[in-house]
Amino acid sequence: MPFRRTERFKKAFRALPAPIQEKAVKALRLLAENPHHPSLQVKKIQGVNNIWEGRVDQKYRFTFQFENENDRIIIVLRNIDNHDICLKNP
């Protein structure tokens, strides 16, 4: 499934430590292949419309949403950071 990254996601990704960036790349590959892969522990964020969270590791999360673009579904990557910061501003 194709991705589109928001500017906020790009900036947050660049600010991550290199080892976390590597883990994030692996997690995003899994997301592209299967958004419901068990290791991502994908779940809908409560109280927010159509925004989901996925797991990079025990501490880091990313947020995304599905959008229909030109009659195909894409994943819009919204944010990536440590759990608390990421989920405060998905």
Side-chain angles (χ1 to χ4, degrees), residues 58-74:
Q58 190 170 4
K59 182 178 176 183
Y60 286 87
R61 302 291 186 272
F62 60 92
T63 59
F64 64 96
Q65 64 191 70
F66 296 99
E67 286 189 1
N68 189 338
E69 189 174 276
N70 299 323
D71 293 326
R72 67 180 189 168
I73 301 296
I74 66 165

Side-chain angles (χ1 to χ4, degrees), residues 20 23 27 54-61:
I20 302 302
K23 287 182 179 182
R55 182 181 174 126
V56 174
D57 66 10
Q58 190 170 4
K59 182 178 176 183
Y60 286 87
R61 302 291 186 272

Side-chain angles (χ1 to χ4, degrees), residues 4-66:
R4 185 174 78 230
R5 298 170 303 196
T6 62
E7 289 302 317
R8 179 176 58 166
F9 181 89
K10 291 175 190 177
K11 182 179 177 181
F13 184 87
R14 286 189 301 266
L16 294 173
I20 302 302
Q21 286 182 0
E22 291 174 20
K23 287 182 179 182
V25 167
K26 289 178 185 176
L28 295 174
R29 281 189 191 130
L30 287 175
L31 182 67
E33 293 170 10
N34 177 7
H36 302 290
H37 192 282
S39 70
L40 297 174
Q41 298 183 15
V42 169
K43 60 184 173 183
K44 189 172 183 326
I45 298 177
Q46 293 183 352
V48 184
N49 195 20
N50 191 33
I51 300 178
W52 301 76
E53 73 169 282
R55 182 181 174 126
V56 174
D57 66 10
Q58 190 170 4
K59 182 178 176 183
Y60 286 87
R61 302 291 186 272
F62 60 92
T63 59
F64 64 96
Q65 64 191 70
F66 296 99

